Structure formats: C-alpha cells, structure tokens
Amino acid sequence: MLFQEMGKLKRSWIMTSVIFMAIGFIMLISPERYANLLTAMLGYILIILATVLELDFLVSKKVLINYIYLTGALLIGLAGLAILFYRDNVLKVLGLLFGILLILEGINELVNTWTYARRAQRSGWWILIILSLLLIASGIVILANPWWDTPGALMKVIGAMMLFTSAVGIVHVVMIWPFRTE
C-alpha cells in the first residue's frame, strides 16, 4: 500500500517536472511573447489574491491578526499594481529572484543527496552531488552576470534554467526514491 502511494507520488513528481521542462522549452522558442504574459499574469494574480484576502477580512472576526492580514493584502494589491505599471523593472527583479531560487534549489538537492542517497549507498549518488553543485553555480552565474538586457533574453535564461532544473529534479527523484524491493 505504501509503495503504491509512493509510486503515484513519484510519477506525479516526474510529470510535473516534464511539464516544467515543456514550459522552459516554450520560453526558449518564443521568449518575447511570454515576457509580457508572465509579468501581466503575476500582476493580475497578486491583485486577485489581494481582493480575496480583503473579502476574507470583511467576513471574519475583527481581531488583531486579521488586521495584519488586511495590511498584507493591501501591500500585495499594491505590488500587483506596481507590477502592471512597471513591467521592465519587475523583470530585472524576477531575474534576481530566479537566481536566488536556483541557489536555494541546489542547496536543497545537495542536502537531500548527501542525507539520503549517500547514506543509502545508492549507486551514482556522486552524480547528484555534481548536478546540485551545477544548480548552485548556475544561480550564482545568473546573479553575477545578468544577461537580461531585454525581456526576451531574460525569458531565454529562465527557460533554459527551467529545463535544467527540471531535468535535475527527474534524475534526483529516480535515483533517490526507494525501490519497490526495499
């Protein structure tokens, strides 16, 4: 029973990574179109989220924590509006955030590999260490050398890194996940 559920989770993880690889490939093919779409979607999502949180405040009890949530909702709404009005600057921040996320993902993969694959004596665990270090290095390169002079260049970089990160995630899941015989 447990291995069946874990098998479903593993297949779901792999399918999610494949979908992210497809999105990254599409971003590589036609980056200009998706730069504007990405920033517009982010702005609208933040505005919708802020509206839902504000409506939630209206129907909830008026206690201190809900006023804090209302303040957060107003800040989220302002961030959504700022994204819609200042799209070019948002793309630069998005590139920096993507570099930081790559570094954090690489550190997470490195810790998981060191903790699980090495201790379980999986064959080829050192490959996961190398891939994790490559994720960290690519995040540092993106932070140190911003290639996103144009929104299209940023989308190409993000698309390529999504392809690479998803591929590393698939290799990581396949190599670390427990086998059925265990």
Side-chain angles (χ1 to χ4, degrees):
M1 177 76 171
L2 176 63
F3 286 111
Q4 291 173 346
E5 293 300 317
M6 290 175 71
K8 289 179 186 176
L9 187 60
K10 182 178 179 180
R11 285 188 298 273
S12 173
W13 186 283
I14 290 172
M15 285 306 299
T16 303
S17 293
V18 168
I19 290 170
F20 279 125
M21 287 177 77
I23 292 171
F25 185 70
I26 290 171
M27 289 171 72
L28 277 173
I29 291 173
S30 57
E32 293 294 331
R33 183 180 346 162
Y34 293 104
N36 291 330
L37 178 66
L38 179 67
T39 54
M41 272 186 10
L42 182 62
Y44 289 127
I45 286 171
L46 289 179
I47 290 172
I48 291 169
L49 177 64
T51 304
V52 168
L53 290 174
E54 289 165 3
L55 291 174
D56 185 43
F57 172 78
L58 292 176
V59 298
S60 65
K61 291 182 181 179
K62 305 303 184 250
V63 293
L64 179 62
I65 192 69
N66 289 334
Y67 284 104
I68 293 172
Y69 289 154
L70 175 66
T71 305
L74 293 173
L75 291 175
I76 289 172
L78 288 174
L81 288 173
I83 287 172
L84 290 176
F85 288 115
Y86 304 108
R87 288 186 185 175
D88 293 334
N89 294 331
V90 170
L91 284 175
K92 291 179 183 178
V93 172
L94 181 65
L96 293 173
L97 287 176
F98 193 74
I100 291 169
L101 287 175
L102 273 177
I103 292 171
L104 293 176
E105 177 70 20
I107 291 170
N108 182 37
E109 296 283 333
L110 186 67
V111 168
N112 284 337
T113 300
W114 191 259
T115 304
Y116 299 116
R118 185 185 63 85
R119 287 187 182 170
Q121 297 177 349
R122 301 273 186 199
S123 61
W125 62 269
W126 53 273
I127 294 171
L128 295 174
I129 296 285
I130 292 170
L131 290 174
S132 301
L133 292 174
L134 283 174
L135 279 176
I136 294 170
S138 62
I140 291 171
V141 166
I142 288 175
L143 288 178
N145 184 10
W147 291 310
W148 47 85
D149 295 338
T150 64
L154 174 64
M155 289 296 111
K156 283 184 180 180
V157 169
I158 289 177
M161 289 302 123
M162 281 180 71
L163 276 169
F164 180 65
T165 304
S166 299
V168 168
I170 289 173
V171 170
H172 188 82
V173 166
V174 168
M175 290 183 78
I176 285 188
W177 212 272
F179 296 111
R180 189 173 183 91
T181 59
E182 293 178 353

